[in-house]
């Protein structure tokens, strides 16, 4: 009788301690609440609810490892009948600890419960990007079977309303399966809107042609905004176009869509700068000289002092407020400016650029400025001598260096490691080199369409006046691109710059 009395008293005390702990937790007196729940456990190590309450308090206090320990212990004590609120909290902890696959496993247990629908969808929306990054890593390194397996785990969990995540995951699956005809829609677009420009640069081919993208093509591009993760707007100069502000604002309504704008920067006044800084936009400034004489000789009609004024004011405004914006510096290297190569990296540092891209003249082979087509050995020797200094400075300054200058100094491109490429991440199941024909289209300044601007112009797969993007996406020529890459016949269709390694694998796969 006495033992029974003590047992009843113990149960009463335990219940009182649990109630007190919850009261303290409700009033945000977390340390006192933790003390009460620990007392419960000291007398009853099988009390799963006390471990759960401790896990919840540690989660609130951002002590995620300890929260995980308490929740895992609680899970063992529930003997297979784990409450749904336990699955939800454990999923939240796993998400924060970057264990997306385990978080998804927990959410599966409450997916069908409508009372948890909103919270589950919120957690899934947070988890998908991390999970998809893992899948993309598998595809990037050629582990296509692993990518397919991971996609199978998660695809059914995506809300039908989340067409962006559905499309992105389906795209990764079709890359892994090496599909030639795709059900997924394109994810990246590079669009030349017009050849209208405020300058007449010496190396520019576009000034020879007049191009305006048809209105019907603009409307079709807009219809793809819900699926796109990246769109590049280029000209000409996009800021001379009356409709560009509205187009950029419309794209800006889609949270998953990053806009990249190529510009000479001369028309970015304070109003435009403020608008850009508040948007999900990156800017690529085309600047081909770091002194007034060289810059103005190449970029005819430009004033170097206006460029510098705009850059300084832009950086002042950017530093005054939170922003998602990155700025990149693109420099086309030619006879007039190759001796300024090292100065470009110092210029990039001074004006806060995240990346410096060194580019050859595109096409325009009859231009005397084109040192690469004309095989200027003196220029090559100078460039080869200064590149190590540029690389060293880029690393020291924390600037990404994208060097696409095709000088014959190495068999492989000399800059891939500067983009963070991990040499241990080797492809193991396939020799597939480029994923761009599975994710992207490029509209050139003559209306021709290809997977990317680096692709051979003669390998056009369509035309923006005659064809729709939907027609081009799976037409016979686009299928041929995919087929030759899958079969490792890239030399039949791809630019030698890609095959020889002058374009980094990271670019070709858009990680």
């Amino acid at each position: 009788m006495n033992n029974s009395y003590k047992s009843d008293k113990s149960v009463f005390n335990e219940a009182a301690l649990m109630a007190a702990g919850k009261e303290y937790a409700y009033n945000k007196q977390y340390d006192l609440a933790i003390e009460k729940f620990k007392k419960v456990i000291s007398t009853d190590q099988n009390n799963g609810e006390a471990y759960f309450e401790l896990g919840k308090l540690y989660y609130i206090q951002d002590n995620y490892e300890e929260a995980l320990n308490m929740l895992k212990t609680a899970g063992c004590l529930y003997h297979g009948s784990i409450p749904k609120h336990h699955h939800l909290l454990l999923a939240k902890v796993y998400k924060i600890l970057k264990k997306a696959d385990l978080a998804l496993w927990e959410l599966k247990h409450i997916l069908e419960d409508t009372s948890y629908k909103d919270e589950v969808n919120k957690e899934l929306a947070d988890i998908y990007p991390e999970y998809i990054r893992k899948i993309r890593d598998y595809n990037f390194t050629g582990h296509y079977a692993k990518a397919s397996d991971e996609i199978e785990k998660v695809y059914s969990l995506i809300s039908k309303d989340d067409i962006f995540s559905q499309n992105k995951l389906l795209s990764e699956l079709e890359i892994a399966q090496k599909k030639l005809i795709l059900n997924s829609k394109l994810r990246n677009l590079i669009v030349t809107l017009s050849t209208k420009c405020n300058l007449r640069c010496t190396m520019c081919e576009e000034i020879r042609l007049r191009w305006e993208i048809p209105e019907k093509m603009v409307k079709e591009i807009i219809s793809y905004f819900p699926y796109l993760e990246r769109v590049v707007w280029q000209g000409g100069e996009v800021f001379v176009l009356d409709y560009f502000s509205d187009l950029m604002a419309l794209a800006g309504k889609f949270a998953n869509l990053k806009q990249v704008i190529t510009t000479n920067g001369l028309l970015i006044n304070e109003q435009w700068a403020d608008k850009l800084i508040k948007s999900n936009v990156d800017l690529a400034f085309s600047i081909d000289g770091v002194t007034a004489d060289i810059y103005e000789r190449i970029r005819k009609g430009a004033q170097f002092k206006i460029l510098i004024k705009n850059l300084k004011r832009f950086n002042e405004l950017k530093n005054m407020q939170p922003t998602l914006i990155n700025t990149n510096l693109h420099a086309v290297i030619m006879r007039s400016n190759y001796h300024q190569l090292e100065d470009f990296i110092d210029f990039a540092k001074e004006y806060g650029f995240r990346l410096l891209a060194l580019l050859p003249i595109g096409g325009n082979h009859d231009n005397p400025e084109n040192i690469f087509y004309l095989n200027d050995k003196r220029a090559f020797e100078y460039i080869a001598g200064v590149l190590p200094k540029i690389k060293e400075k880029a690393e020291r300054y924390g600037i990404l260096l994208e060097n696409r200058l095709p000088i014959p100094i190495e068999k492989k491109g000399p800059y891939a490691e500067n983009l963070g490429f991990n040499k241990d991440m080797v492809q193991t199941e396939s020799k597939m080199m480029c994923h761009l024909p599975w994710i992207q289209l490029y509209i050139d300044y003559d209306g021709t369409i290809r997977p990317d601007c680096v692709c051979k112009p003669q390998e056009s797969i369509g035309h923006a006046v005659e064809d729709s993007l939907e027609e081009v996406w799976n037409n016979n020529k686009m299928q041929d691109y995919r087929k030759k890459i899958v079969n490792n016949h890239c030399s039949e269709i791809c630019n030698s710059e890609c095959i020889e390694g002058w374009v980094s694998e990271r670019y070709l796969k858009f990680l």
Side-chain angles (χ1 to χ4, degrees):
M1 180 73 72
N2 192 36
N3 288 337
S4 175
Y5 172 76
K6 287 183 178 179
S7 177
D8 290 343
K9 184 177 180 182
S10 176
V11 170
F12 175 80
N13 288 340
E14 195 172 303
L17 287 169
M18 288 294 297
K22 290 179 181 180
E23 182 71 17
Y24 281 131
Y26 179 80
N27 292 314
K28 299 183 179 180
Q29 295 174 282
Y30 300 130
D31 290 340
L32 291 173
I34 288 171
E35 181 184 327
K36 295 298 181 185
F37 294 128
K38 282 184 174 181
K39 282 185 178 179
V40 173
I41 292 170
S42 69
T43 59
D44 180 6
Q45 294 183 1
N46 294 318
N47 191 315
E49 185 182 6
Y51 280 105
F52 173 80
E53 293 296 334
L54 278 174
K56 185 163 63 173
L57 289 168
Y58 287 132
Y59 171 80
I60 291 170
Q61 294 180 321
D62 300 335
N63 187 351
Y64 303 116
E65 290 291 351
E66 196 59 34
L68 179 60
N69 290 335
M70 295 298 106
L71 292 172
K72 287 170 74 173
T73 302
C76 294
L77 295 173
Y78 288 132
H79 303 295
S81 182
I82 299 175
K84 291 179 180 178
H85 59 260
H86 180 277
H87 286 299
L88 179 61
L89 183 57
L90 197 49
K92 291 175 182 285
V93 174
Y94 279 134
K95 177 190 73 175
I96 291 169
L97 294 175
K98 305 296 184 184
K99 297 179 180 180
D101 50 345
L102 295 176
L104 287 168
W105 175 258
E106 296 299 329
L107 291 173
K108 279 184 179 181
H109 293 86
I110 54 176
L111 192 64
E112 302 302 323
D113 191 324
T114 56
S115 64
Y116 286 91
K117 180 181 178 181
D118 290 342
E119 284 194 90
V120 168
N121 285 340
K122 179 183 182 302
E123 293 306 312
L124 287 173
D126 290 341
I127 291 167
Y128 288 145
E130 182 67 26
Y131 200 82
I132 292 173
R133 271 194 290 273
K134 176 182 176 182
I135 291 166
R136 293 184 74 179
D137 283 346
Y138 283 138
N139 272 341
F140 183 93
T141 56
H143 294 89
Y144 299 114
K146 287 184 179 180
S148 295
D149 289 344
E150 293 297 327
I151 291 167
E152 293 294 336
K153 293 178 186 177
V154 69
Y155 191 75
S156 62
L157 299 178
I158 299 177
S159 166
K160 291 180 180 179
D161 296 331
D162 188 359
I163 60 175
F164 174 83
S165 295
Q166 278 197 330
N167 184 67
K168 189 168 181 175
L169 210 54
L170 178 60
S171 172
E172 291 296 328
L173 180 62
E174 290 178 333
I175 290 171
Q177 295 175 339
K178 301 167 190 172
K179 295 283 190 181
L180 304 186
I181 300 176
L182 308 183
N183 289 315
S184 61
K185 298 182 183 293
L186 60 100
R187 291 155 51 186
N188 290 346
L189 256 177
I190 306 174
V191 185
T192 307
L193 293 169
S194 171
T195 53
K196 285 182 181 176
C197 192
N198 54 329
L199 303 179
R200 294 182 64 82
C201 300
T202 59
M203 71 293 186
C204 183
E205 274 196 318
E206 295 185 20
I207 59 175
R208 302 181 183 184
L209 293 174
R210 298 188 65 179
W211 163 252
E212 296 290 333
I213 194 166
E215 185 178 353
K216 69 176 181 65
M217 179 57 72
V218 175
K219 289 180 178 178
E220 188 181 12
I221 289 169
I222 291 170
S223 74
Y224 278 94
F225 283 172
Y227 306 96
L228 292 176
E229 55 187 326
R230 181 175 179 270
V231 61
V232 180
W233 305 118
Q234 60 185 33
E237 174 56 49
V238 296
F239 292 113
V240 305
L241 304 175
D242 293 337
Y243 64 86
F244 183 67
S245 179
D246 291 339
L247 184 61
M248 190 188 91
L250 187 58
K253 294 180 179 179
F254 296 86
N256 294 304
L257 177 52
K258 167 69 76 174
Q259 299 183 75
V260 182
I261 301 172
T262 301
T263 177
N264 56 47
L266 296 170
L267 300 179
I268 300 179
N269 55 26
E270 191 160 330
Q271 290 73 28
W272 259 118
D274 186 62
K275 184 183 297 186
L276 292 164
I277 288 165
K278 292 176 180 176
S279 305
N280 188 17
V281 170
D282 285 352
L283 288 180
F285 286 83
S286 297
I287 301 171
D288 308 312
V290 297
T291 56
D293 57 336
I294 300 299
Y295 175 81
E296 292 173 7
R297 184 196 310 170
I298 294 170
R299 295 198 159 254
K300 297 192 181 299
Q303 293 186 51
F304 190 68
K305 65 181 181 181
I306 293 178
L307 171 70
I308 298 302
K309 176 185 174 184
N310 287 355
L311 286 176
K312 288 181 176 178
R313 185 56 181 150
F314 184 87
N315 284 331
E316 286 173 3
L317 291 171
K318 185 175 71 170
N319 293 332
M320 288 168 58
Q321 56 190 296
T323 180
L324 297 172
I325 201 164
N326 289 307
T327 55
N328 302 327
L329 171 57
H330 289 187
V332 178
I333 304 305
M334 63 194 86
R335 191 178 304 283
S336 290
N337 69 1
Y338 74 82
H339 60 281
Q340 288 194 331
L341 263 171
E342 189 175 356
D343 299 324
F344 278 111
I345 192 68
D346 294 322
F347 186 90
K349 180 180 184 297
E350 182 177 359
Y351 292 100
F353 290 102
R354 178 191 65 126
L355 175 146
L356 169 62
L358 304 176
L359 310 170
I361 292 176
N364 219 343
H365 295 153
D366 60 348
N367 192 315
E369 289 282 351
N370 197 332
I371 55 177
F372 303 103
Y373 183 76
L374 298 174
N375 199 28
D376 188 329
K377 291 182 172 58
R378 183 177 177 183
F380 291 171
E381 289 175 4
Y382 179 88
I383 294 170
V386 78
L387 276 176
K389 298 178 184 177
I390 296 171
K391 177 182 174 182
E392 185 277 326
K393 283 189 173 183
E395 291 175 348
R396 181 154 40 95
Y397 295 160
I399 295 173
L400 296 173
L401 178 62
E402 187 174 317
N403 171 21
R404 294 196 196 172
L405 303 181
I407 62 173
I409 58 172
E410 292 179 330
K411 290 183 179 179
K412 289 292 181 183
Y415 70 94
E417 64 273 17
N418 293 325
L419 296 180
F421 178 64
N422 182 349
K423 293 180 180 178
D424 294 329
M425 295 170 67
V426 294
Q427 298 192 47
T428 57
E429 296 179 16
S430 169
K431 293 184 179 179
M432 184 192 290
M433 178 184 69
C434 176
H435 292 168
L436 292 182
W438 281 262
I439 62 177
Q440 177 174 280
L441 289 176
Y442 165 67
I443 302 173
D444 208 345
Y445 64 85
D446 58 357
T448 56
I449 302 174
R450 305 191 296 284
D452 189 69
C453 57
V454 179
C455 300
K456 293 178 180 178
Q458 62 269 30
E459 299 294 344
S460 170
I461 55 175
H463 198 281
V465 173
E466 302 161 3
D467 306 306
S468 69
L469 296 177
E470 184 178 9
E471 291 168 340
V472 167
W473 189 231
N474 279 315
N475 69 13
N476 290 336
K477 291 182 178 179
M478 193 63 164
Q479 290 180 54
D480 194 44
Y481 258 102
R482 295 169 187 146
K483 183 177 181 179
K484 286 179 177 175
I485 289 173
V486 168
N487 293 332
N488 198 30
H489 295 158
C490 304
S491 59
E492 298 177 13
I493 199 166
C494 295
N495 192 316
S496 60
E497 290 183 20
C498 299
I499 297 167
E500 294 171 7
W502 292 99
V503 177
S504 80
E505 194 167 8
R506 185 167 294 275
Y507 176 84
L508 295 173
K509 296 183 178 180
F510 265 109
L511 253 185

